[in-house]
Amino acid sequence: MDVKTLRDVAQVSDPVERARILSRLMTEEQVLVTEAAKMRRQAIAEARQSGMSLEEIAGRLGVSPGRISQMRKGPAARAPEGPDAPAPRVLVQRALPTEPAVRGSKSLFLAEAERQGLKAGRRMLYVGLEPASDHVAACLRVAPGTEVVARRKMMTANDVPVRIATSYFRADLFGGTRLAEPEFVQPSLQSALIALGYAFGHAEENLTARPPTAFERETLELDPGEWIVQVLRAGYSRDDTPVHVLETICAANRHVFPIGQVSGHDEF
């Protein structure tokens, strides 16, 4: 399944038929994921037999040794050859609503992690066009399946993956700007939006707890049964133009969500 296939399916007018096709594609995709995971376990086993250590394999793949241990496990996997140190447990704060000073910094995550004394890292996973999911399309006020600009990053704290953050922008408004370019936007995303003439009006944030998708489970190195918390923040300009939708996928057991209350607008 690829972006073109999803785009073609989005054009099917009969919603039930569209759902049937998507169910079939998801089943086929799961079969491929299962087979790919099996082949990956075999490849790692061959690398180990050739004399490579877990650390060497992890370095070549750009993941942690603990993640390699997870990759080696499967339904018929044998007991590991020796004890593998588990990934260190981390707790990262994700304040709600986000403080304006943090929101306007170089990176929301880097600023939050620095305040908490954590070693923060981020890596760009993807920048380009992709079909808008239902919830992203609703925030951007476009039809589901419409191509939008996506900027997807993975965040780590003390070398542990904790979040996948994806910024979405309407392609008709931002497709030809530097927001669609693959590099990190300097000095910040907020400054780029202001330079393009957009003044902040208001934002809406929603939290949803759910099981992870296969991609989220793999990227965040989640154990079976772990859930994620999805934070969806839609930002609108003063003239109510949908400017920026940020979808943050948080590893649930690695996050705390402090919630602030506006002073003078509450009761005991």
Side-chain angles (χ1 to χ4, degrees):
M1 181 168 26
D2 54 22
V3 172
K4 182 180 184 302
T5 300
L6 290 176
R7 185 164 56 238
D8 291 342
V9 175
Q11 302 305 314
V12 176
S13 58
D14 185 338
V16 176
E17 177 64 13
R18 189 163 65 245
R20 185 189 67 78
I21 296 174
L22 288 169
S23 294
R24 175 176 58 79
L25 289 173
M26 291 168 68
T27 300
E28 293 174 353
E29 187 79 5
Q30 186 58 50
V31 171
L32 289 175
V33 168
T34 301
E35 184 61 24
K38 178 181 177 181
M39 294 173 66
R40 183 175 62 185
R41 288 195 298 271
Q42 293 173 343
I44 292 174
E46 290 178 19
R48 288 284 286 157
Q49 290 171 0
S50 72
M52 293 184 68
S53 67
L54 293 180
E55 290 74 15
E56 289 173 326
I57 299 172
R60 290 278 300 274
L61 294 182
V63 298
S64 67
R67 182 59 184 144
I68 296 297
S69 296
Q70 290 180 330
M71 291 178 181
R72 297 170 66 201
K73 297 176 183 177
R78 294 175 297 179
E81 298 174 5
D84 292 308
R89 179 178 174 82
V90 294
L91 280 178
V92 183
Q93 293 185 8
R94 170 62 166 89
L96 297 168
T98 308
E99 295 180 33
V102 173
R103 173 66 56 185
S105 63
K106 175 182 178 181
S107 164
L108 182 154
F109 175 73
L110 295 181
E112 285 183 326
E114 182 179 352
R115 288 185 177 186
Q116 299 163 49
L118 298 170
K119 183 181 76 171
R122 59 177 183 167
R123 176 165 59 91
M124 191 68 75
L125 299 177
Y126 174 78
V127 177
L129 297 176
E130 65 181 42
S133 60
D134 289 351
H135 58 281
V136 171
C139 292
L140 290 178
R141 298 173 188 162
V142 297
T146 300
E147 285 196 334
V148 297
V149 176
R151 301 181 58 86
R152 184 168 295 111
K153 301 178 290 293
M154 196 263 283
M155 315 296 195
T156 61
N158 293 351
D159 298 321
V160 177
V162 291
R163 295 182 198 170
I164 304 168
T166 308
S167 290
Y168 294 99
F169 305 91
R170 284 176 49 159
D172 59 338
L173 299 178
F174 300 99
T177 71
R178 59 190 176 122
L179 297 181
E181 297 175 356
E183 299 83 7
F184 284 102
V185 179
Q186 301 294 341
S188 70
L189 192 65
Q190 302 303 315
S191 63
L193 292 172
I194 294 173
L196 289 170
Y198 293 95
F200 176 75
H202 71 282
E204 302 168 2
E205 286 187 285
N206 291 281
L207 273 71
T208 303
R210 59 171 173 79
T213 65
F215 170 76
E216 293 162 353
R217 184 183 302 109
E218 283 283 319
T219 304
L220 292 175
E221 302 178 10
L222 301 178
D223 291 327
E226 286 193 61
W227 277 38
I228 60 91
V229 173
Q230 172 186 290
V231 182
L232 189 67
R233 186 182 195 272
Y236 301 88
S237 66
R238 289 178 183 172
D239 63 359
D240 203 34
T241 299
V243 174
H244 179 207
V245 172
L246 176 63
E247 179 188 62
T248 308
I249 304 300
C250 305
N253 67 343
R254 303 170 199 170
H255 278 79
V256 175
F257 298 91
I259 299 176
Q261 174 63 50
V262 179
S263 178
H265 295 272
D266 202 357
E267 298 179 3
F268 288 108

